[in-house]
Amino acid sequence: METIIQHIALDLVKKITKKAYSGGINDIDALASDVLVDCRKAASLVIEAIYSQINVQIREDKAERKKLGLVLKEKERKRELLTELGRLSLPRDYYYDRNNGRYVSVLDYITGIRAYERIGNNLSACMVNLATDMSYAKSAQLSCGEEVSRQTVKNHIMKVGSLEKGIESSLKKEIQELHIYADEDHVHMQKSDKEKGKKSRIVPLVTVTEGLDTDNSTRHRTRGKMHFVDEAFDTKALWKSVEGYIGKIYDLTKVEKVYVHGDGGRWIKNGLEDLPQTVHVMDGYHLEKRLKELSVRFPSRGVRSRLTEAIKAGDRKKADKIVQSLYEIAEDDKESGKINEFGKYLMGNWEAIENRKTLNIPGSCTEAQVNHVLSERFSRDPLGWSDKGLGKLTKLRVYVKNGGRIKAEDFREHERNTTYREYADRVINE
């Protein structure tokens, strides 16, 4: 074995020196690229040689195999594995395990290769990390070149287990207020050829923060933010996760207010009902957008300023009268419908709207959070998603946005046999 490895190493050194002294040193950048290819190939050959040697060692260890009930059925069954070094050729023997009544490749258990897998765990992790931020095609190209398809990327996304960002400290934070931003993205979904029209899915997002960092006068940032989505798009389960996180991270006896910023959606209103500190606040972007739309229809009546004044004064009756006066001068049914819709919005969310205009709290950034966390990947381009793929990838993207990193060990592994593991340790030690 040592002779084979030494031969590979010497051959690599000869290749490098030959290229360098044959004019390669004149373009050291190009030389470095060529040498990198040679080094990868040499490293692959070393790994393949070691793998082959262990395979032969197990085959020749007849006495120990007999104790384990392993009967040789096929020699050097073809197996290839795509890794960060490139494609490795790893033929291994196939055995029948009489004690457990199944066919196995002992070497797969020893070397940690997943059953039927053709891509290594580290490369799979790299590929999925990229896929949380770019298309399947681009992530496949950057991680594996032309070796894998878009479908392969999707398949590996589905293999990742459930991931949650860990809590870094056991000590709970003592702060006076939390600001929680809730909104949703609208994502185009796949549909069959028979289905007509557009099909979309609402993906709710909740972001827990400790408020805004205003040290930078030109750009404010959220402090201590943590994003949440639910893989099944279940808003009740989503709020339950949020509430559980808040209870683990913060000392709720010290938290005086939990401000929930949203656009008035029913699922947002139902959030954190069990926390007595919860205060709902209308998102400023959506409120101002509706006020502007109404004032544009009636430019000479000062609708925006009059309604804002009534809201700040907490005068609900006055606000209602302003809306009713507009309804009376509406020119057609379409305009009447718009005014009626605004009136329902205003009265149905009065408390949250009043809180937005009267409380001394940071502005909302619900739209910004959705754009940054979800829209950039899922809804800006004309893509069509499946429920399962969308749910899984939104969860993984949020995990990465929260500071997590998908690793090789995050992929589900086949059953580990401790008997094979102990046997492998003895073989390797020898």
Side-chain angles (χ1 to χ4, degrees), residues 82 87 137 139-150 152:
L82 188 62
R87 190 173 295 278
S139 59
Q141 175 66 32
L142 288 177
S143 59
C144 308
E146 303 294 336
E147 296 280 356
V148 302
S149 65
R150 291 176 296 176
T152 300

Side-chain angles (χ1 to χ4, degrees), residues 190-363:
Q190 296 171 355
K191 57 188 182 68
S192 65
D193 295 336
K194 296 182 179 180
E195 289 185 87
K196 296 182 179 180
K198 295 181 179 179
K199 183 179 179 181
S200 62
R201 157 73 70 183
I202 292 176
V203 182
L205 172 72
V206 176
T207 303
V208 178
T209 78
E210 298 168 9
L212 296 180
D213 185 353
T214 58
D215 292 342
N216 189 330
S217 59
T218 59
R219 187 174 183 180
H220 297 168
R221 296 180 180 273
T222 51
R223 294 196 308 268
K225 66 182 175 183
M226 186 68 68
H227 306 291
F228 293 86
V229 293
D230 184 72
E231 194 170 324
F233 318 108
D234 185 337
T235 54
K236 289 184 178 179
L238 174 59
W239 281 118
K240 189 174 180 180
S241 297
V242 173
E243 188 171 344
Y245 169 79
I246 292 173
K248 289 180 180 178
I249 296 295
Y250 302 101
D251 184 350
L252 291 177
T253 62
K254 305 294 183 181
V255 178
E256 298 175 2
K257 298 292 181 183
V258 178
Y259 296 101
V260 178
H261 303 250
D263 62 2
R266 186 179 296 276
W267 73 271
I268 299 174
K269 289 181 178 180
N270 294 334
L272 304 183
E273 293 178 312
D274 295 334
L275 293 183
Q277 306 99 316
T278 300
V279 177
H280 285 276
V281 181
M282 182 56 62
D283 172 54
Y285 170 81
H286 292 93
L287 174 59
E288 294 303 325
K289 180 182 177 182
R290 287 179 178 264
L291 287 172
K292 183 179 179 180
E293 289 174 352
L294 192 65
S295 64
V296 167
R297 291 180 179 275
F298 305 95
S300 62
R301 300 184 68 89
V303 176
R304 191 172 185 176
S305 59
R306 289 165 60 203
L307 281 173
T308 300
E309 183 181 339
I311 293 168
K312 288 183 176 180
D315 195 338
R316 183 168 181 162
K317 290 184 178 180
K318 182 179 178 181
D320 188 42
K321 286 181 180 180
I322 295 172
V323 176
Q324 289 299 325
S325 68
L326 299 177
Y327 191 80
E328 292 172 0
I329 62 173
E331 296 180 354
D332 50 41
D333 291 343
K334 183 178 180 180
E335 197 166 76
S336 297
K338 291 291 184 181
I339 297 169
N340 187 47
E341 182 184 344
F342 177 82
K344 289 181 178 178
Y345 166 78
L346 181 63
M347 295 300 126
N349 299 284
W350 178 262
E351 185 178 350
I353 292 173
E354 185 181 358
N355 287 338
R356 166 54 56 201
K357 290 295 186 180
T358 59
L359 297 180
N360 183 25
I361 57 176

Side-chain angles (χ1 to χ4, degrees), residues 7-47:
H7 176 75
I8 294 171
L10 288 172
D11 186 53
L12 173 62
V13 172
K14 288 179 182 179
K15 286 181 178 179
I16 295 173
T17 53
K18 183 178 179 181
K19 288 179 179 179
Y21 289 118
S22 299
I25 200 68
N26 294 329
D27 188 347
I28 197 166
D29 186 55
L31 177 63
S33 296
D34 288 343
V35 169
L36 178 60
V37 174
D38 292 335
C39 289
R40 284 175 176 269
K41 181 60 178 176
S44 298
L45 292 174
V46 169
I47 292 173

